[in-house]
Amino acid sequence: MKEIETLQRGETYIDSLAENIRRKVVPLRYKLPLRALFKEPQPYISPFAIQHTVSPYYMKKEDPEKFFMSGYTGFVPKARGLLGIGYPIVTNNALNSFHDDMNYINSNAGQPVVVEQHRVRPKKSKHVYPTESGLVPHYTGHIPGEKFRYGTTFGYSTKNARRESQKLPPINLTA
């Protein structure tokens, strides 16, 4: 207990080599407990290690080190559709594309939004189901409402199949 109090006051006991029994009190340079100088310590970066100093997300577009190494399992934005190239090239292209998109979004951040509705005109196209005749026999595609029709020929039941499927009577399930 006496040694603990001595340490907290800033002094310590050191055994001398010549006299093991006798102890000498030596004042310490610092008082215990030590107080932190900074709230957050600075990260240690070895001067001898080769490493990225900046994340590839924040590197300039022209930087040759802007890529992720093969084996990186994290998310790379815009990389999903890029296939058939080496991973560093894929990640470089994806990061550059992401960088361009972010610059475009940030440059238009203060601009007012203008919403325009363009009227969509229906295209003139061929009808899937002929209206004047029935479907060709051995047709294996879907015919709307055909599973509810019975007692007629295939040609007659498929005549104007699209319109007839919309006119089906409601099914009575209580009978």
Side-chain angles (χ1 to χ4, degrees):
M1 189 67 154
K2 188 175 184 182
E3 291 179 7
I4 293 173
E5 290 175 6
T6 308
L7 284 172
Q8 288 179 347
R9 277 196 315 265
E11 302 171 343
T12 185
Y13 286 101
I14 298 178
D15 293 335
S16 74
L17 297 175
E19 302 169 14
N20 285 338
I21 301 172
R22 189 170 158 225
R23 295 178 175 220
K24 183 178 177 185
V25 176
V26 178
L28 289 176
R29 185 172 172 192
Y30 301 105
K31 297 264 187 197
L32 294 178
L34 296 176
R35 291 178 180 78
L37 298 176
F38 302 102
K39 288 184 180 179
E40 291 294 325
Q42 297 294 324
Y44 175 74
I45 299 173
S46 173
F48 306 109
I50 298 171
Q51 60 187 355
H52 287 291
T53 56
V54 179
S55 169
Y57 289 109
Y58 300 109
M59 290 181 176
K60 292 185 179 180
K61 189 174 179 179
E62 301 82 24
D63 195 336
E65 297 290 319
K66 185 175 183 144
F67 65 89
F68 288 110
M69 294 173 55
S70 297
Y72 173 71
T73 58
F75 178 70
V76 181
K78 301 279 186 177
R80 188 173 203 170
L82 302 174
L83 301 170
I85 318 170
Y87 192 72
I89 298 169
V90 166
T91 56
N92 181 281
N93 293 344
L95 289 171
N96 286 337
S97 175
F98 177 70
H99 185 264
D100 293 342
D101 288 351
M102 291 307 296
N103 283 342
Y104 177 76
I105 289 170
N106 290 336
S107 68
N108 292 332
Q111 303 288 333
V113 177
V114 178
V115 179
E116 296 178 8
Q117 284 186 328
H118 298 285
R119 186 173 182 179
V120 179
R121 296 180 183 167
K123 295 180 182 179
K124 293 181 180 178
S125 62
K126 295 180 181 177
H127 296 287
V128 176
Y129 302 107
T131 55
E132 63 278 344
S133 66
L135 294 176
V136 178
H138 304 291
Y139 172 73
T140 58
H142 175 70
I143 304 168
E146 182 63 23
K147 73 178 185 179
F148 302 113
R149 293 190 202 113
Y150 55 91
T152 61
T153 64
F154 181 79
Y156 184 77
S157 68
T158 59
K159 188 173 184 179
N160 203 353
R162 185 167 176 240
R163 187 171 348 150
E164 292 298 324
S165 69
Q166 295 170 354
K167 290 182 182 178
L168 286 176
I171 301 172
N172 187 1
L173 297 176
T174 60

